[in-house]
Amino acid sequence: MGSIKLSVCFNLHRNIGFNPHFCQWRPHSSVRNGSCSVASQYKRRSSTSSSSEEAKCKSSTPQPCLKKVLVPIGAGTEEMEAVIIIDVLRRAGAHVTVASVERDLQIKASLQVNIIADTLISSCGQETFDLVVLPGGMPGSARLRDSEILKTITRKQAEAGRLYGAISAAPVIALDAWGLLTAVEVTVHPAFSWKLSSFWTVTSNVHRDKLLTTSRGPGTAMEFALSLVEQLFGKEKSEEIEKTLVLVPVANGSEEMEAVIVIDILRRAKANVVVASIEETLEVVGSRNVKFVADKLIEDAASSEYDLIILPGGMPGAKRLQKSVSLRKLLREQALSNRIYGAICASPVVVLETHGLLKGKKATAYPSFSGKLLDQGAVNAQVVIDGKLITSRGPGTAIEFSLAMVDKLYGKERAKNVSKGIVYDYS
């Protein structure tokens, strides 16, 4: 998938809790992603700098074939909604402009996450967008509502017959206040539905009525964003984006049971799993002499970006994975980009520990290797999830390990559905 160029400074401080059997995934602390040039050169700017901002906005205008999207943000914007919308639309290939309605580019979102916009809303008044979409949150929705420039942009968007949308509190607080919910059905956050001036409300997660698409809240943001992708690019692109891209590297000596279980369950969950051989040929021979053929060589797979990289164990397979330069680079980039990675059996120690990818993390591994883990705090757990790291003990825990990944990628409901298909009790 293409790189995500959202400038975000996350200030998250959470305690990581562990269950002796299954350790739940908590937000990784002190994450920072400043991939956008605006972030690296960030200086506090006031609204008086609108002329320079306008020049910047025009200079970054994409080619006509690209879809242009405006996502405004303000103090108190719901960060999950904003980031999911921006992430998914950029993955689809849209040129997304994140515009602050405040005097500065940096805003403090509803749960104290600091987000840096690409530009100020004042630079976008003369721009034409294929889609204008408002994240919710309070008082973020009110801050959007109070922006006269955004109000004008959104009204013109609707009058010109172009797409617009809002989620959570924003349909009520902003769109309704601007008179843009007349004679249309909408869905909103349950806590705000009573404030609508009309009675044209529905309770679906996402609802589209003519040009307007609305949604209920953070938990429906992914579905909402995918609906917007479908409207901009078509159903095929939406389905492509929905599929999580997973890399499973294999080598001669990899534990075939672990590899096959991981691949099988993730594919049942509709993930796009790429099996990559680190050998010179696609065919590899597992630790129990089972022969199987990978989809790609690791060098060919290295050009993509993955939502999840997961390593099977087995010896000497783990040692061969550890020696792969291409895989080592992919794993380091995965960790630096705060994307999910993990391993089972011998690989947490032989590969991840060796490459310094378990530093400050709790993990587990096959019992005969777990004593080599620097942090012994969770070595007896079947599956350990610490931030973006997931590890497990061996072949007997591979099903639970795989379903835990499905749970974290797609939610518990999909994990339960997959478990029913393989007749496994997952709760």
Side-chain angles (χ1 to χ4, degrees), residues 396-408:
T397 64
I399 293 178
E400 184 177 357
F401 177 54
S402 302
L403 288 169
M405 286 184 278
V406 174
D407 191 331
K408 295 311 170 185

Side-chain angles (χ1 to χ4, degrees), residues 37 76 163 181 196 205 238 241 249 279 289 294 313 353 356 367 405 412:
S37 60
L163 300 173
L181 298 187
L196 281 171
N205 287 343
S238 175
I241 296 299
E279 308 295 346
N289 294 317
E353 187 80 270
M405 286 184 278
K412 187 170 289 293

Side-chain angles (χ1 to χ4, degrees), residues 359-374:
K359 188 176 181 180
K361 297 282 191 180
K362 292 190 181 298
T364 189
Y366 193 79
S368 61
F369 290 90
S370 61
K372 297 180 181 179
L373 292 168
L374 293 179

Side-chain angles (χ1 to χ4, degrees), residues 54-342:
E54 184 174 356
K56 174 196 169 296
C57 191
K58 289 181 178 179
S59 68
S60 63
T61 299
Q63 296 298 318
C65 61
L66 295 182
K67 299 293 186 179
K68 293 176 61 180
V69 178
L70 175 66
V71 179
I73 58 174
T77 286
E78 213 298 321
E79 43 267 87
M80 185 187 300
E81 294 167 358
V83 170
I84 289 174
I85 291 166
I86 296 161
D87 183 309
V88 170
L89 286 166
R90 282 182 171 164
R91 284 173 184 263
H95 179 89
V96 180
T97 298
V98 183
S100 169
V101 301
E102 309 296 343
R103 296 183 62 188
D104 300 315
L105 291 178
Q106 180 170 312
I107 65 99
K108 189 175 291 292
S110 62
L111 294 176
Q112 308 305 302
V113 173
N114 294 309
I115 303 179
I116 302 173
D118 301 317
T119 188
L120 299 177
I121 195 66
S122 57
S123 71
C124 300
Q126 302 305 313
E127 294 293 309
T128 299
F129 296 96
D130 297 284
L131 167 68
V132 175
V133 56
L134 280 58
M138 287 298 286
S141 297
R143 299 297 295 172
L144 300 186
R145 176 200 63 201
D146 294 341
S147 170
E148 288 297 322
I149 296 174
L150 178 60
K151 174 182 175 181
T152 300
I153 290 172
T154 311
R155 279 183 167 177
K156 285 182 177 179
Q157 187 79 4
E159 291 167 1
R162 295 190 295 269
L163 300 173
Y164 64 107
I167 185 172
S168 189
V172 177
I173 302 301
L175 297 186
D176 196 27
W178 296 338
L180 293 175
L181 298 187
T182 304
V184 292
E185 290 184 339
V186 297
T187 188
V188 299
H189 193 285
F192 290 87
S193 60
W194 65 274
K195 293 186 177 183
L196 281 171
S197 60
S198 72
F199 294 96
W200 292 41
T201 59
V202 296
T203 58
S204 54
N205 287 343
V206 178
H207 187 75
R208 181 183 178 186
D209 190 330
K210 304 180 182 69
L211 303 170
L212 172 65
T213 305
T214 51
S215 189
R216 305 193 82 191
T220 66
M222 178 64 76
E223 188 178 349
F224 177 56
L226 289 169
S227 174
L228 298 174
V229 169
E230 182 175 342
Q231 293 174 60
L232 287 172
F233 298 99
K235 189 171 183 62
E236 184 177 342
K237 174 60 73 172
S238 175
E239 291 175 347
E240 175 189 327
I241 296 299
E242 186 178 15
K243 285 189 175 181
T244 304
L245 190 58
V246 179
L247 178 67
V248 179
V250 292
N252 289 332
S254 287
E255 216 302 323
E256 45 269 89
M257 186 190 303
E258 294 166 355
V260 169
I261 288 173
V262 168
I263 295 163
D264 181 298
I265 289 178
L266 286 169
R267 283 182 172 165
R268 285 174 186 264
K270 306 304 181 185
N272 183 5
V273 181
V274 176
V275 184
S277 168
I278 64 125
E279 308 295 346
E280 294 181 355
T281 62
L282 292 176
E283 183 178 300
V284 299
V285 182
S287 61
R288 298 294 184 271
N289 294 317
V290 174
K291 296 179 181 179
F292 49 101
V293 180
D295 303 313
K296 294 182 178 182
L297 297 178
I298 191 67
E299 289 76 16
D300 297 325
S303 60
S304 296
E305 188 175 277
Y306 297 91
D307 298 282
L308 168 66
I309 298 177
I310 205 75
L311 313 180
M315 294 290 283
K319 286 186 176 179
R320 296 188 66 79
L321 294 180
Q322 187 267 327
K323 293 177 181 178
S324 170
V325 175
S326 295
L327 178 58
R328 181 176 62 201
K329 182 179 178 182
L330 277 168
L331 286 168
R332 286 180 174 175
E333 289 175 350
Q334 193 80 358
L336 288 171
S337 300
N338 198 38
R339 297 190 299 269
I340 309 169
Y341 63 99

